[in-house]
Amino acid sequence: MNQNEFKNRFIKARRSAIELEFAHLNQVQREAVLTTSGPLLLLAGAGSGKTTVLINRIANILKYGSGSDSDFIPEDATEDDLALLEEYVKTRQGDGSSVPKNGPEQPSHLLEVFPVEPWRIIAITFTNKAAGEMKDRLSRMLGQAAEDIWASTFHSACVRILRRYIDKLGFDSSFAIYDTTDSASLMKRILKELEIDEKSFPHRSVLGYISRAKDEMIFADDFLAAAEKSGDVRRRIIGRAYVEYEKRMRSSNSLDFDDLILMTVQLFKEHGDVLEYYQRRFKHILVDEYQDTNNLQYLLASSLAGGHGNICVVGDDDQSIYKFRGATIENILNFENQYKNARVIRLEQNYRSTGLILDAANDVICNNKGRKGKKLWTQSGPGEIPEMHIVPDERMEAQFVADSIVMSASDGKSWREHAVLYRMNAQSNQIETAFKRSGIPYRIFGGTGFYERAEIKDMLAYLCLIHNPNDDVRLLRVINNPPRGIGNTTLGKLAEIASERDVPIYELLRESQNYDNLKNAAGKLNLFADMMERLRDLSKTVPLDELYEELLSETGYIRMLEAKNLDENISRIENVNELKTNIISYLNENGSGENASALFGFLSEIALFTDMDRDSDDTDRVVMMTMHSAKGLEFDTVFVVGAEEGVFPGIRAIGEPGEMEEERRLCYVAMTRAMKKLYFTSAQRRMLFGKTTAASPSRFVREINSDNIEFHQPQSRFGGFDFDYTGGFANHSYSSPAYGAGTSLGTPTRSQRQFQDRDTSSSANRLDRLSTQPKVDIDLKFKVGDSVEHKAFGLGVITGSSPAGGDALLEITFDGVGTKRMLLKSAARYMTKVEQ
């Protein structure tokens, strides 16, 4: 044969032989693994196995170098070598897992083309957890060789570089690293010393300006010079703080998180020999989650890739949801413009979700203009159709979610297979309430439970103190919160005297002037006592919701949060106002009654929420989280709650194309967390922060093709809603969409018309059965000692019962589950007596 034919056959046989080792991957994944040279963009859709591809690609590079896509062949290659390669490929079994008897062993020496040493590969990701997982999987596949691979975060990689060369920038190699708390403390001190008003220039806001400037590689002196030239007074003041901050950091030989990357990029820029060293060292650069990179991270990666040009970035432009953290989606969108000879491979086969969920997600994300374009698909079949449930209000939304999960658990699903996703933390409030009433175990992922938040504990402490002024624990929590000049020394003396006299601390407040060691604080103690007495008197004459408003006014709690002007206080104020929603809901459910009785009933109900058993994170519980926190996770069943205009998408995004596209990407992320079942919920009216507003369904749901989602809405014979706040929809049926005047979502679809005829074993019809259950009579005779059977928890015995407002709080010990506490009105819907 001629030389060209020999070369072509040799290259083909070599690639085929290497490809056999990765036969467990799908065709596109193998293409990504076998593409080893030059710039490569892997557009990895949700659930497409990108980590598997990265691990196998590194293994291929280490073992075979560029053998799978190189046209190089050894000068001494012979026709016998070619025959050996072709025989190996021919006799190897189709799955690549074993060699048949009498078949040739792998001719490794013929497959390698400049194999790469482990220390010449750097794989960068965003979190220590992701980096650790990458190292673990590489170790399992490659053994000790994996230890020398630079698998790390951006920050840890920069620390390794700076430890060696930072002296070139005027720092000592023993530099300290400031975390966000350290940076905040330093900035507070600087603002105070420069006599910059913290209210007008909150330290977190100033640090935000500095962080953005560093991302653009604008140092302090340049920032201040530009501010003075522009005449922008605000930026000039921030510039002064920036200059002082940079000065203090340098004098203390310290770097913050932004500095770690900034200084590394600056090092490469100013010292070409250092850059050249690392460009020679790293033959292959791999960057995960590339859609989340900022400008500095982009500069770092592109600088390292300037040597050999072998850069592989993995990401999904449709999952770029961290703009608020500085992420720049343009990095991934412009990759092909930066690297003219770049290859783009789309990983579109999804291994997580069923077909209809993916179809719905594709319907939503295709409305974005700023994207590379891809379409997820799966071989796992269509699965259950996603559902949109329109309910009257946020309480019915929460109860619908609770009902659905209980029914799913009664069919054998574990609690942890369910996730509730929301746009803002305040939405967790009503969901938590419904879960507690139904005895559903849950945990807040990446956040704190509503009733565990400090500001909510403070408000409840005030209410408890109004109800019972002898509660020393609650009194000590709030007597100087907001600050009233009552210090820890005074509180210690109060507690000491109260203990000696065996009286509640509250009794001492009026008598404080009679004690020598309390005289200096007597005026402040009396003012607090006067305020509490006014509130206690008021509690006897005004409804509970009005009392709460007066409490906020009298204590000045919100004024304190506003005065501090901190970014995080915005959500705290929202949470304090949101507690009023719970109070109003309680009054609507139980009636206002006598004012004192209402306060007692509300606090009794809340006791159910604040005295919970603490479960570890690996226990079987429903997961609740924001959509941002859900990225990278997956669940059998997902509820996306609050799918309404103004909530999701948020009000700030409406009318802003760029912001709306980010919100749509967030919706896409939320949808693709679901493996088997996806629910949306939308309330026709929603109370948030104590205010009720009408709402219309989210545009994102309306963007879903009619054959890929079912709409459900409760209707009554009066054209309104006949619902029961004790839980669940009462005496109504689900129908095709009827969104009311001014809202058009199209005519009923084929899937909607057929919904009534679907198999009764489907989840949708299980919910229909739930919706037609009768209202629960509070007089049902469940008593201590009764044996019961619960749909989700199984057999149990009622071991305790106590009044809770207009309800009863049951303690039930279930076989193999333990003791659960739940409100009778909700529990009775799922529970029957077991006759002895």
Side-chain angles (χ1 to χ4, degrees):
M1 69 182 75
N2 62 42
Q3 185 62 27
N4 283 338
E5 181 183 357
F6 174 80
K7 182 177 182 179
N8 291 336
R9 284 176 59 182
F10 191 97
I11 292 171
K12 180 180 179 181
R14 182 174 63 199
R15 180 181 174 91
S16 297
I18 295 174
E19 189 171 4
L20 285 170
E21 188 161 333
F22 304 100
H24 59 286
L25 305 176
N26 68 43
Q27 182 178 352
V28 179
Q29 288 176 331
R30 282 199 302 275
E31 182 184 357
V33 167
L34 299 177
T35 302
T36 64
S37 302
L40 172 65
L41 168 60
L42 294 181
L43 285 176
S48 61
K50 69 179 179 68
T51 304
T52 296
V53 170
L54 274 177
I55 299 300
N56 281 274
R57 189 172 186 275
I58 292 173
N60 179 39
I61 292 170
L62 288 176
K63 191 171 183 179
Y64 304 114
S66 57
S68 58
D69 62 349
S70 173
D71 60 1
F72 170 84
I73 64 172
E75 292 182 0
D76 57 353
T78 66
E79 291 192 14
D80 287 341
D81 292 332
L82 174 59
L84 180 61
L85 275 175
E86 292 181 335
E87 180 67 14
Y88 171 76
V89 172
K90 181 179 179 181
T91 59
R92 189 73 176 247
Q93 291 183 357
D95 63 358
S97 61
S98 62
V99 179
K101 290 182 179 180
N102 303 320
E105 294 291 334
Q106 185 190 61
S108 300
H109 65 289
L110 298 177
L111 304 182
E112 300 172 356
V113 177
F114 310 122
V116 178
E117 300 90 339
W119 56 86
R120 293 188 178 275
I121 297 176
I122 180 170
I124 305 175
T125 187
F126 271 81
T127 66
N128 290 318
K129 180 180 178 181
E133 179 187 354
M134 186 180 295
K135 287 180 181 178
D136 290 342
R137 293 181 63 174
L138 284 169
S139 294
R140 290 196 296 270
M141 180 178 289
L142 305 171
Q144 285 189 335
E147 296 179 6
D148 292 327
I149 297 171
W150 276 40
S152 63
T153 64
F154 277 100
H155 291 109
S156 59
C158 288
V159 169
R160 291 184 68 174
I161 295 170
L162 291 174
R163 288 290 187 199
R164 185 171 180 178
Y165 291 108
I166 198 171
D167 60 301
K168 294 178 179 290
L169 298 177
F171 287 83
D172 188 88
S173 60
S174 61
F175 62 88
I177 300 173
Y178 275 20
D179 62 17
T180 52
T181 302
D182 298 325
S183 297
S185 298
L186 175 58
M187 183 53 68
K188 286 180 181 178
R189 219 163 45 240
I190 290 171
L191 294 176
K192 184 176 181 180
E193 292 175 9
L194 294 180
E195 298 183 346
I196 298 174
D197 184 12
E198 172 87 22
K199 295 179 182 179
S200 302
F201 295 87
H203 69 275
R204 293 186 186 277
S205 178
V206 174
L207 287 170
Y209 273 95
I210 293 174
S211 180
R212 288 188 290 273
K214 289 181 179 181
D215 189 47
E216 297 172 12
M217 293 200 71
I218 302 174
F219 289 89
D221 289 337
D222 296 329
F223 184 96
L224 179 59
E228 289 178 340
K229 185 176 180 180
S230 69
D232 188 325
V233 176
R234 182 174 183 82
R235 290 182 69 87
R236 187 185 305 156
I237 294 173
I238 293 172
R240 288 171 53 210
Y242 186 7
V243 168
E244 189 63 26
Y245 179 81
E246 189 175 279
K247 176 183 175 183
R248 301 281 183 94
M249 293 292 287
R250 184 170 287 272
S251 65
S252 64
N253 195 41
S254 301
L255 303 179
D256 62 22
F257 288 151
D258 290 324
D259 288 331
L260 292 175
I261 304 179
L262 174 61
M263 291 294 107
T264 305
V265 173
Q266 188 70 9
L267 176 69
F268 289 164
K269 184 178 179 181
E270 295 181 357
H271 300 276
D273 57 327
V274 178
L275 174 59
E276 185 180 353
Y277 168 79
Y278 284 103
Q279 285 179 338
R280 287 198 314 267
R281 177 185 180 118
F282 295 125
K283 286 188 175 181
H284 290 271
I285 293 91
L286 299 93
V287 184
D288 194 12
E289 302 289 0
Y290 195 63
Q291 77 281 349
D292 294 334
T293 54
N294 61 23
N295 183 57
L296 279 177
Q297 291 159 342
Y298 156 78
L299 291 173
L300 177 66
S302 59
S303 295
L304 291 173
H308 299 277
N310 297 323
I311 179 171
C312 171
V313 300
V314 186
D316 183 1
D317 52 313
D318 291 333
Q319 295 189 73
S320 179
I321 58 173
Y322 296 125
K323 182 179 179 181
F324 66 95
R325 294 180 185 170
T328 306
I329 191 174
E330 286 75 16
N331 289 346
I332 194 168
L333 295 180
N334 295 331
F335 185 81
E336 293 165 274
N337 295 329
Q338 181 188 5
Y339 300 98
K340 300 299 182 182
N341 59 336
R343 290 193 60 181
V344 178
I345 297 177
R346 289 170 167 80
L347 301 178
E348 298 174 300
Q349 183 174 355
N350 178 281
Y351 292 92
R352 175 188 298 154
S353 306
T354 54
L356 284 168
I357 292 174
L358 296 179
D359 290 344
N362 288 329
D363 289 341
V364 172
I365 200 62
C366 73
N367 290 277
N368 270 8
K369 296 179 180 178
R371 62 191 296 258
K372 305 290 286 187
K374 64 182 178 305
K375 188 173 183 180
L376 297 181
W377 61 278
T378 183
Q379 292 182 334
S380 66
E384 293 189 65
I385 193 166
E387 299 178 20
M388 168 64 151
H389 289 261
I390 301 175
V391 294
D393 59 26
E394 74 284 349
R395 285 180 53 78
M396 296 301 291
E397 173 186 61
Q399 193 60 54
F400 165 77
V401 173
D403 289 346
S404 303
I405 292 175
V406 168
M407 293 302 291
S408 177
S410 70
D411 285 346
K413 294 284 183 65
S414 64
W415 300 113
R416 66 166 63 91
E417 293 179 85
H418 306 83
V420 182
L421 309 183
Y422 35 79
R423 183 64 181 86
M424 62 182 97
N425 280 312
Q427 290 175 260
S428 71
N429 178 13
Q430 292 298 323
I431 306 293
E432 289 187 73
T433 300
F435 282 2
K436 288 303 187 299
R437 288 173 171 167
S438 300
I440 296 174
Y442 74 93
R443 69 183 178 99
I444 302 290
F445 182 94
T448 306
F450 184 78
Y451 293 109
E452 297 172 359
R453 292 164 184 157
E455 60 272 17
I456 298 302
K457 285 182 174 292
D458 291 341
M459 291 298 99
L460 291 175
Y462 273 114
L463 290 173
C464 288
L465 202 57
I466 291 172
H467 174 68
N468 176 20
N470 296 333
D471 189 335
D472 286 351
V473 172
R474 269 56 181 264
L475 184 145
L476 290 173
R477 181 182 182 92
V478 299
I479 192 171
N480 198 45
N481 188 12
R484 299 182 176 90
I486 303 172
N488 290 333
T489 301
T490 300
L491 295 180
K493 293 174 183 176
L494 277 170
E496 181 179 349
I497 295 171
S499 177
E500 290 174 354
R501 293 190 52 193
D502 195 23
V503 297
I505 293 176
Y506 193 84
E507 287 189 15
L508 298 179
L509 301 184
R510 294 287 193 190
E511 307 172 9
S512 54
Q513 64 274 9
N514 298 329
Y515 296 89
D516 291 337
N517 52 359
L518 292 177
K519 282 184 179 180
N520 291 338
K524 298 168 185 176
L525 296 175
N526 277 311
L527 286 174
F528 178 78
D530 291 341
M531 179 189 72
M532 293 308 304
E533 285 302 311
R534 286 195 299 273
L535 290 170
R536 294 195 69 212
D537 291 339
L538 204 60
S539 70
K540 302 170 186 176
T541 59
V542 302
L544 184 54
D545 55 337
E546 292 184 25
L547 173 65
Y548 186 70
E549 288 287 353
E550 289 297 325
L551 170 63
L552 295 180
S553 176
E554 283 276 356
T555 61
Y557 195 89
I558 287 183
R559 292 194 297 273
M560 170 193 70
L561 295 176
E562 291 174 337
K564 290 184 178 180
N565 200 21
L566 300 177
D567 292 345
E568 62 266 29
N569 279 358
I570 296 174
S571 62
R572 290 174 181 167
I573 292 170
E574 290 175 347
N575 289 333
V576 169
N577 287 326
E578 179 64 8
L579 184 59
K580 185 180 177 183
T581 297
N582 290 34
I583 293 172
I584 294 173
S585 297
Y586 173 84
L587 295 176
N588 288 338
E589 180 178 358
N590 296 281
S592 58
E594 295 182 3
N595 296 316
S597 175
L599 176 59
F600 172 75
F602 178 69
L603 293 174
S604 297
E605 181 169 305
I606 296 303
L608 171 67
F609 311 138
T610 56
D611 189 21
M612 296 171 51
D613 292 335
R614 297 286 181 175
D615 295 326
S616 59
D617 286 351
D618 59 354
T619 55
D620 187 17
R621 295 186 286 176
V622 177
V623 179
M624 299 171 59
M625 68 182 79
T626 63
M627 297 175 199
H628 282 99
S629 299
K631 188 171 179 290
L633 304 177
E634 58 185 35
F635 303 92
D636 186 276
T637 302
V638 169
F639 295 84
V640 179
V641 299
E644 302 144 24
E645 293 290 295
V647 176
F648 185 51
I651 193 68
R652 294 179 182 177
I654 296 175
E656 298 291 336
E659 297 296 328
M660 186 59 69
E661 294 215 345
E662 178 122 347
E663 289 281 285
R664 189 175 284 109
R665 291 193 293 269
L666 187 58
C667 184
Y668 175 81
V669 167
M671 296 173 72
T672 52
R673 301 311 95 195
M675 299 168 66
K676 295 181 180 178
K677 188 65 185 180
L678 174 63
Y679 294 95
F680 288 95
T681 61
S682 174
Q684 293 186 309
R685 57 185 178 275
R686 180 178 298 275
M687 181 184 291
L688 270 175
F689 318 129
K691 296 181 179 180
T692 300
T693 56
S696 60
S698 170
R699 69 189 67 195
F700 300 147
V701 179
R702 287 182 274 144
E703 290 170 351
I704 299 174
N705 186 284
S706 59
D707 286 331
N708 295 330
I709 191 168
E710 287 180 339
F711 294 92
H712 307 281
Q713 177 177 349
Q715 293 180 327
S716 76
R717 61 183 181 275
F718 300 108
F721 297 102
D722 179 19
F723 52 88
D724 170 25
Y725 270 128
T726 62
F729 302 128
N731 301 319
H732 60 61
S733 61
Y734 286 97
S735 71
S736 298
Y739 293 98
T743 308
S744 175
L745 294 180
T747 57
T749 67
R750 171 177 54 80
S751 61
Q752 293 162 345
R753 290 193 298 270
Q754 292 177 349
F755 175 69
Q756 301 293 344
D757 300 325
R758 293 176 66 190
D759 191 303
T760 56
S761 65
S762 71
S763 62
N765 275 279
R766 288 200 302 274
L767 296 176
D768 280 347
R769 298 201 309 273
L770 245 180
S771 70
T772 57
Q773 289 185 358
K775 296 180 181 180
V776 176
D777 187 347
I778 193 63
D779 293 329
L780 284 173
K781 302 300 182 182
F782 286 102
K783 62 183 183 297
V784 174
D786 282 349
S787 295
V788 296
E789 183 171 8
H790 191 280
K791 286 182 178 291
F793 300 114
L795 295 175
V797 176
I798 299 177
T799 56
S801 177
S802 58
D807 207 334
L809 176 62
L810 301 180
E811 289 190 4
I812 310 172
T813 301
F814 292 99
D815 297 343
V817 177
T819 299
K820 296 286 181 181
R821 290 189 289 174
M822 54 188 74
L823 293 174
L824 173 59
K825 286 183 179 181
S826 291
R829 302 176 61 246
Y830 316 116
M831 195 167 65
T832 57
K833 277 188 181 181
V834 177
E835 298 299 332
Q836 301 296 316

